[in-house]
């Protein structure tokens, strides 16, 4: 078993009560989590890893479940950094582009976690789910991981890739687009190699009961790993199709229609990932914070950017 060294905490404590939303204080530690020295706006893969590891260590020191997705994310980013530093750049055709994209991509997750720690409203429903539920300890570690992975892929990834390509000067030609497409899908192989470590991380460091029980079933590990990889392939394929649709949009309305589809789809996936918790709270007579009967745009605290604010609009 190999587990990421990013976080010193060996095991996740079990807490029977939910803590106040976005609480940043530990029961035995005074003061909020320090945020001012974290690299929130990385420009490349190495800076992305630096920012992730710093805030990850602090979240784990406070037993904050918002660390779980970042720990998963750090495993992948660490692998990307390692590959890009190889003489052959790990098989990537545009290593500088991928490194810059990795930094910009990580910024989205880092900013979402930072703003949730500062109790600021988040601009996307998917990230509202991915930070609120872990902060309240309403979900299991595997759900916390999936919520973050989904928000980052199903919402952030397409926006970041589109923004990078659309604002290049000179514009990317067909040859360069083919190389970008190769590198984008080559990341799938990186993800495939990271899945076993991520499973071990959930089972051992975060003591995810569902993961541990599933691993006790004979032959379950390869089935689970293949299922997760298949899910990631489907998600990332759809993201690339959305990127192409935004790049080929002929009018602002066509572009905005894709953006709204991305926001709604990512929000609905988050709903599905938390549906069991929302249903159980409803049975108990305690309305969940984000009800399945409400569209993502109507959830409390979700700020929907104006169409003229651009795809990068977010709370700062």
């Amino acid at each position: 078993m190999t587990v990421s060294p990013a976080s010193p905490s060996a095991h996740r404590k079990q807490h029977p009560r939910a803590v106040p939303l976005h609480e940043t204080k530990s029961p035995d530690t005074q003061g909020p989590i320090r945020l001012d020295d974290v690299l929130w706006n990385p420009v490349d893969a190495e800076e992305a890893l630096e920012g992730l590891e710093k805030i990850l260590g602090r979240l784990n020191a406070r037993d904050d479940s918002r660390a779980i997705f970042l720990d998963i994310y750090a495993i992948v980013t660490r692998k990307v950094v390692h590959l890009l530093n190889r003489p052959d750049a790990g098989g990537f055709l545009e290593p500088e582009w991928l490194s810059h994209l990795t930094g910009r991509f990580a910024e989205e997750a880092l900013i979402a976690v930072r703003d949730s720690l500062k109790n600021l409203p988040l601009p996307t429903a998917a990230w509202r789910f991915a930070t609120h539920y872990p902060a309240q300890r309403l979900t299991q570690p595997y759900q916390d991981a999936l919520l973050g992975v989904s928000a980052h892929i199903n919402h952030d990834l397409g926006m970041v890739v589109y923004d990078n390509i659309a604002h290049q000067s000179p514009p990317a030609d067909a040859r360069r687009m083919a190389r970008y497409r190769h590198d984008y899908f080559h990341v799938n192989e990186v993800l495939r190699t990271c899945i076993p470590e991520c499973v071990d991380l959930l089972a051992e460091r975060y003591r995810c009961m569902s993961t541990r029980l599933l691993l006790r079933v004979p032959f379950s590990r390869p089935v689970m790993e293949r299922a997760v990889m298949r899910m990631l392939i489907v998600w990332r394929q759809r993201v690339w199709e959305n990127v192409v649709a935004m790049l080929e949009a002929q009018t602002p309305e066509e572009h905005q229609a894709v953006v709204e589809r991305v926001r709604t789809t990512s929000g609905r996936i988050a709903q599905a990932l938390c549906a069991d918790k929302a249903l159980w709270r409803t049975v108990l007579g305690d309305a969940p914070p984000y009800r399945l009967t409400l569209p993502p745009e109507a959830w409390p605290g979700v700020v929907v950017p104006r169409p003229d604010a651009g795809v990068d609009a977010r709370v700062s």
Side-chain angles (χ1 to χ4, degrees):
M1 180 198 72
T2 303
V3 175
S4 163
S7 308
S9 175
H11 298 296
R12 175 77 36 185
K13 302 184 188 72
Q14 300 300 314
H15 292 271
R17 68 172 184 87
V19 298
L21 177 58
H22 305 312
E23 182 181 77
T24 59
K25 294 183 180 180
S26 170
D28 56 352
T29 305
Q30 295 299 317
I33 293 176
R34 184 178 179 186
L35 303 176
D36 63 325
D37 64 337
V38 177
L39 195 60
W40 301 110
N41 308 105
V43 299
D44 57 28
E46 292 191 357
E47 287 193 359
L49 183 58
E50 178 184 342
L52 287 167
E53 289 184 336
K54 181 170 285 189
I55 190 60
L56 169 59
R58 292 174 184 176
L59 289 170
N60 260 326
R62 303 296 181 88
D63 195 27
D64 189 313
S65 292
R66 280 168 286 193
I68 296 174
F69 161 66
L70 295 184
D71 219 341
I72 297 289
Y73 190 23
I75 289 174
V76 179
T77 306
R78 196 173 296 112
K79 181 70 171 182
V80 169
V81 169
H82 170 72
L83 291 174
L84 291 177
N85 284 330
R86 282 173 32 176
D88 64 350
F92 291 105
L93 303 179
E94 297 285 344
E96 290 188 9
W97 174 77
L98 186 72
S99 180
H100 171 71
L101 196 69
T102 301
R104 178 66 186 83
F105 187 38
E107 180 183 3
E108 293 294 319
L110 288 167
I111 293 295
V113 172
R114 182 201 68 184
D115 286 358
S116 76
L117 288 167
K118 296 171 72 173
N119 204 25
L120 295 173
L122 304 184
T124 60
W127 273 115
R128 191 71 174 173
F129 264 103
T131 55
H132 175 91
Y133 275 85
Q136 287 283 325
R137 296 190 179 94
L138 297 174
T139 38
Q140 294 188 52
Y142 83 90
Q143 289 174 302
D144 299 333
L146 286 175
L147 284 167
V149 170
S150 176
H152 208 33
I153 292 178
N154 289 308
H155 182 269
D156 297 349
L157 182 57
M159 301 299 189
V160 170
V161 175
Y162 164 77
D163 184 64
N164 175 279
I165 296 175
H167 293 92
Q168 288 187 14
S169 182
D173 56 18
R175 176 182 174 277
R176 205 185 324 166
M177 281 297 298
R179 293 171 69 86
Y180 291 161
R181 186 183 187 282
H182 169 275
D183 285 2
Y184 176 90
F185 285 104
H186 188 53
V187 170
N188 285 351
E189 298 308 311
V190 178
L191 296 174
R192 193 186 308 276
T193 65
C194 291
I195 289 176
E197 184 177 352
C198 294
V199 172
D200 289 336
L201 186 80
L202 289 173
E204 300 301 326
R205 177 171 294 159
Y206 296 108
R207 303 185 66 81
C208 178
M209 187 58 63
S210 293
T211 304
R212 292 160 74 94
L213 289 174
L214 188 57
L215 288 175
R216 293 177 183 175
V217 179
F219 311 111
S220 62
R221 175 182 278 271
V223 173
M224 176 170 51
E225 292 178 359
R226 283 196 297 269
V228 170
M229 190 64 223
R230 181 58 187 166
M231 176 189 70
L232 296 177
I233 288 172
V234 171
W235 284 357
R236 298 188 83 255
Q237 175 65 39
R238 182 171 58 233
V239 167
W240 183 259
E241 291 170 358
N242 286 331
V243 170
V244 172
M246 286 189 282
L247 290 171
E248 295 179 347
Q250 299 298 308
T251 65
E253 290 76 18
E254 288 182 8
H255 176 273
Q256 189 60 30
V258 180
V259 172
E260 291 305 318
R261 184 169 70 242
V262 168
R263 294 186 183 281
T264 300
T265 300
S266 60
R268 291 303 187 195
I269 292 173
Q271 281 184 319
L273 291 172
C274 295
D276 62 326
K277 300 300 179 181
L279 178 61
W280 181 240
R281 292 187 67 175
T282 300
V283 170
L284 295 177
D286 182 15
Y290 306 114
R291 296 187 297 280
L292 301 182
T293 56
L294 289 178
E297 294 75 13
W299 291 331
V302 175
V303 179
V304 180
R306 301 184 308 276
D308 60 349
V311 298
D312 283 329
R314 62 169 170 259
V315 179
S316 60

